[in-house]
Each structure stands twice: as structure tokens, then as C-alpha cells.
Amino acid sequence: MHKNFFWGAATSSYQVEGNNDNDWTEWELRTAKRRAQTAHFNPPDGEWPDFLLNPPAGGPNPLQRENYISGRACNHYNLFREDFDIAKSLGHNAHRFSIEWSRIEPEEGRFDEKEIGHYREVIRALRERDLEPFLTLWHFTLPRWLSAQGGITSPRWAEYFERYAERVGTEFKDDVRFWMTVNEPDAYCLNGYLRGVWPPAQRSLIRAYRATKHFVEGHKRAYDALKKINPSFEVGIVVDLVYFEASRGFLNKVLAWPAANINEYFLRRVRKSLDFLGFNYYFHSRVHYGFNKNDNKMVSDTGWEVYPEGLYKMLARLRSYHLPIYITENGLADARDIHRAQFIKEHIAWMKKAMDEGVDVRGYFYWSLLDNVELDRGFWPRFGLVEVNYKTMERKIRPSALEYKKIIDEAL
Ligand code: BGC
């Protein structure tokens, strides 16, 4: 393993900061009650287990309205220094985080110096701890003025995004080397424009297609703007790719092929405007006559199958892009911390196998440093290396975080 390899964890502004005022804020209030009433455990008719109804670390459970309102979240906006101390103590040498656009540009065209100053402090705090900052410009949230204009589907979205990227790039040009334009545009189009479970909560194929096109354009414009500020910036994108595997039989092979290709649709369209590829790995899907037939030998609290080998398979496939790869997210919800250590070890082992075979992987970021607001599911899924008590805001390092540390210590 190369000594310059980056090891760390990832977060996003909305999910950890607290007191955000963006397009999710209003959506949360409008939908919280309904989401509490319709929350179901996976499988859908299963009973909620006691460890999720009465979480050991306290905090709301999935049947309570407050679970769905981000409020103070982890108060990371104020506690970022303490949180980075923890990351440092866990052996990390890098940290992925996002800038909250709604703070930086709360009104159209008005950039907030105080909030820019806040992120300057965040970046400084990372540098002081020798944590290489990996900055994401957009991780699912929009300023309200922009969502009022149609959000990503606004004809001016790419223009606005370029302006925002240019401003942030100029402000932090001496402090940040690694930039990610947008996080999982694919997942956002699916959940925000097709399934309607994230803001803007729409179900429209036309809008989903339009959003995809705009994301492509927005990424390219932001890429060019950032490279103009400093050609030695490393600029990438983050995509969420599923490992689609055909179940036995010829027909399944035929059916899995389009799934695997649609999966990389976005990536193929931006590949010429990339210095690296950010890859979030969570899912495997065994395609069986159009259905998902996973073995589910091990599942997380959210019912997601744990399938580490899929990371290797996807890395082998991504090699054809001839770009450095960073695993920008990989993690699971595991409130009892019973699977996490094994999850991390096995995924890293498969990643190493891919690297031994020549795939150019340069970093691994566990999702997430802290328990946080898991988007539409709210607080109950516990993804953190560090447990958060949402009442006291106390942090507690989970045993699996120390196992991850051992792997890092051995590698560095
Ligand atoms: C997202 C994160 C999210 C994680 C777990 C990714 O899709 O980038 O924001 O919390 O997966 O669902």
C-alpha cells in the first residue's frame, strides 16, 4: 500500500452541521409526520427491533416525528474542531466534507463573508491536524432561492453552480487541492425526481432527464472554472455505482447488461472533464429475471446487503476509465456496531486485491465519521465510526473505528 494513500471518513454539511436553512428544511417539516407514520422496517412487514426503537445512545426512533427533523443534527457546525481531533486520533490523514451552498449564497448573488470565513476555519482546522481536505461543492441541498426557481431543473442551474464553484474555488485556492463538484447526481435524480422521496419530491421522467443533463453541464462548467483558477487542482465527481451481477442463465445476462450501463451513464458523459473518479460503493444487485435476488447473508440495519466483493468487481470495471479512483464513501448503518469492523476489513481487503491487480485507487473514505441525519430516514440509521448522543451531543468512539485505525496504522 502506497504511503501517500488517503485514509479517512466522509460527511456532508446538511447531515452533520445542524441549523441549516435550505430546501430540505421546509420539506422535512412538511413530511416528518407522514414519514413517522409510514416508516417500516426492512423487510417491509418486519417488526422494528428494540435496539432501534430504544436506541442505546438515546435519540429519536423511526416512529417519532422528531426523527425526521434535522434541527441541531450533530452540531458539527460548532464542534468541528473536536470532531477533527477524533478523526486525527483514529489515524485518518484525510477528510471528505461538503460546503453548504445555502450558507455561502443565502440570497441569489449575495455571498456571505461570515460563512465563507466559517469554512476557512474548517479547512484550517483540517490542515492543522494534517487531514487533507476533500471538498464537495454540492451534496444534495440547495439554497431556497434556487429551489424556488426549479432547483437542478432550472435552465440557469449550471450557470449558478459555476458561479458558486468559482467563488469557493477562488476563496480556498491556496488551501484545498481535491475538489468534488457534485455528489451522486444519479441517486439524486432517482430519489428526487423519480421516486419522489427526497426534495424536490417529484415523479417525472422528463424532469429526471432534464436534471441529469443539467448535472452534466454544471459539472463541466464547474470543472473548467476550477481548473482556470488553479490548473493543479484535482477535480472530480462522486457517483454511486451499483454492482449489477447477472444471476444464472443467458436471459439474466441480457437483463443485467442495460442496468450496468445505465449505472455509468453519467460518468461516461463527464469523463473528459475529470482528474479523478469518486466512487461511493454501497450496493450489489443480483439480477434475476428483472428482480433483485441477493443472498442477504449479512444485512445492515437499513436492510442493505453487505457484499464486499462487489467493490472489487466494480473497481476492476472502472479501470477502463484510466483515472485515479477514490472510494469517497463506503459504510453501513449498524447501531450495535456488530458488523462494522468486519465490513471495513473485508471491503478494504477487496480494494487491495484490485490495487494489486493494477487498479489505481488512491484513497478510502468510510461513510461516515459521525452518526448523522440519514437523509429521508432521519436520525435512526447509525452510520458513524463515532456514536453521537443527540441530546448531549456527546461523541463516543465505536470499537470498529479502532479496528479501522489498526488497518490504517499498518498501511502508513
Ligand atoms: C450519500 C450519503 C448517504 C449515504 C448512506 C450516499 O448515498 O452520499 O449522503 O448518507 O449514501 O445512504
Side-chain angles (χ1 to χ4, degrees):
M1 181 77 52
H2 204 275
K3 294 279 170 216
N4 294 334
F5 196 85
F6 289 115
W7 295 102
T11 60
S12 90
S13 54
Y14 162 68
Q15 294 176 268
V16 294
E17 282 183 350
N19 297 320
N20 276 187
D21 182 10
N22 57 34
D23 59 331
W24 287 65
T25 320
E26 178 269 331
W27 174 84
E28 280 176 359
L29 293 173
R30 194 159 34 83
T31 58
K33 191 166 162 211
R34 173 174 52 79
R35 285 188 287 147
Q37 284 167 349
T38 54
H40 58 70
F41 186 60
N42 204 300
D45 51 357
E47 295 283 316
W48 283 100
D50 190 58
F51 72 91
L52 294 178
L53 288 182
N54 298 299
N61 77 35
L63 307 177
Q64 294 170 317
R65 181 177 176 272
E66 74 228 55
N67 176 67
Y68 301 93
I69 298 174
S70 58
R72 288 193 304 160
C74 310
N75 195 19
H76 178 72
Y77 186 85
N78 295 307
L79 298 178
F80 64 90
R81 290 187 185 84
E82 287 84 342
D83 291 338
F84 296 161
D85 282 342
I86 297 176
K88 180 76 191 160
S89 79
L90 294 175
H92 300 188
N93 63 4
H95 180 70
R96 177 176 173 232
F97 67 107
S98 77
I99 299 262
E100 180 60 33
W101 190 351
S102 61
R103 291 187 189 274
I104 299 280
E105 192 181 355
E107 287 160 38
E108 185 179 337
R110 181 177 75 76
F111 289 86
D112 190 309
E113 293 297 338
K114 194 175 139 269
E115 295 293 354
I116 292 172
H118 168 78
Y119 288 107
R120 197 180 302 289
E121 287 303 311
V122 168
I123 294 163
R124 179 177 303 156
L126 289 171
R127 286 263 174 244
E128 282 169 0
R129 289 160 183 78
D130 290 324
L131 295 163
E132 181 72 32
F134 276 68
L135 188 156
T136 311
L137 284 167
W138 180 86
H139 197 124
F140 300 151
T141 56
L142 292 169
R144 283 175 189 255
W145 60 264
L146 181 44
S147 66
Q149 292 182 35
I152 314 294
T153 56
S154 155
R156 299 188 65 189
W157 187 80
E159 177 196 326
Y160 291 138
F161 186 60
E162 179 187 0
R163 184 176 63 182
Y164 160 64
E166 197 172 22
R167 180 64 188 253
V168 179
T170 307
E171 293 287 348
F172 304 134
K173 68 175 188 311
D174 300 324
D175 314 302
V176 175
R177 184 172 150 223
F178 293 95
W179 299 81
M180 284 143 292
T181 56
V182 292
N183 179 72
E184 297 190 356
D186 34 18
Y188 187 81
C189 289
L190 175 71
N191 291 313
Y193 286 103
L194 284 177
R195 294 179 62 221
V197 295
W198 294 353
Q202 297 177 358
R203 289 184 185 186
S204 155
L205 199 56
I206 294 174
R207 293 213 180 124
Y209 178 67
R210 195 176 297 152
T212 306
K213 270 181 50 189
H214 289 184
F215 271 128
V216 170
E217 194 198 334
H219 165 79
K220 287 183 180 166
R221 287 175 72 152
Y223 177 89
D224 289 344
L226 289 168
K227 298 294 278 191
K228 214 166 136 192
I229 295 165
N230 183 349
S232 61
F233 277 168
E234 303 274 338
V235 185
I237 194 164
V238 175
V239 286
D240 169 39
L241 299 173
V242 179
Y243 169 48
F244 287 104
E245 179 193 17
S247 173
R248 277 160 162 248
F250 178 71
L251 188 60
N252 285 318
K253 282 210 170 56
V254 174
L255 290 170
W257 191 84
N261 276 283
I262 290 174
N263 204 26
E264 284 167 49
Y265 175 92
F266 195 84
L267 206 48
R268 281 200 302 274
R269 263 148 197 81
V270 298
R271 66 189 299 174
K272 293 209 179 95
S273 304
L274 289 178
D275 300 325
F276 68 87
L277 200 159
F279 167 35
N280 292 353
Y281 176 70
Y282 289 95
F283 299 113
H284 161 235
S285 174
R286 189 168 287 125
V287 180
H288 187 76
Y289 301 112
F291 293 94
N292 181 351
K293 247 304 186 49
N294 287 355
D295 284 343
N296 287 342
K297 284 189 189 126
M298 187 194 281
V299 291
S300 71
D301 295 348
T302 46
W304 301 353
E305 186 197 34
V306 175
Y307 196 77
E309 190 180 343
L311 177 60
Y312 165 77
K313 297 278 188 188
M314 286 308 291
L315 287 173
R317 192 178 158 106
L318 293 176
R319 192 179 183 164
S320 63
Y321 286 88
H322 303 293
L323 286 167
I325 300 172
Y326 292 87
I327 295 163
T328 35
E329 285 179 36
N330 175 229
L332 86 170
D334 181 16
R336 294 167 296 173
D337 204 37
I338 53 175
H339 298 311
R340 189 173 284 105
Q342 190 187 342
F343 177 101
I344 295 175
K345 273 186 213 157
E346 289 187 10
H347 280 86
I348 291 175
W350 282 106
M351 172 185 84
K352 278 194 180 147
K353 181 170 158 56
M355 292 168 72
D356 289 345
E357 291 171 15
V359 184
D360 185 8
V361 186
R362 301 195 185 175
Y364 174 91
F365 295 82
Y366 176 81
W367 181 271
S368 176
L369 178 63
L370 306 167
D371 286 342
N372 60 51
V373 186
E374 173 51 17
L375 309 168
D376 54 309
R377 288 186 177 80
F379 286 103
W380 72 261
R382 302 280 184 156
F383 277 85
L385 292 172
V386 178
E387 179 186 278
V388 175
N389 179 318
Y390 293 113
K391 275 211 179 79
T392 60
M393 289 299 154
E394 200 185 320
R395 273 65 168 149
K396 203 160 120 195
I397 293 172
R398 291 200 163 102
S400 55
L402 301 173
E403 294 300 314
Y404 181 33
K405 179 178 189 304
K406 278 189 206 154
I407 298 177
I408 302 174
D409 288 347
E410 266 169 38
L412 287 177

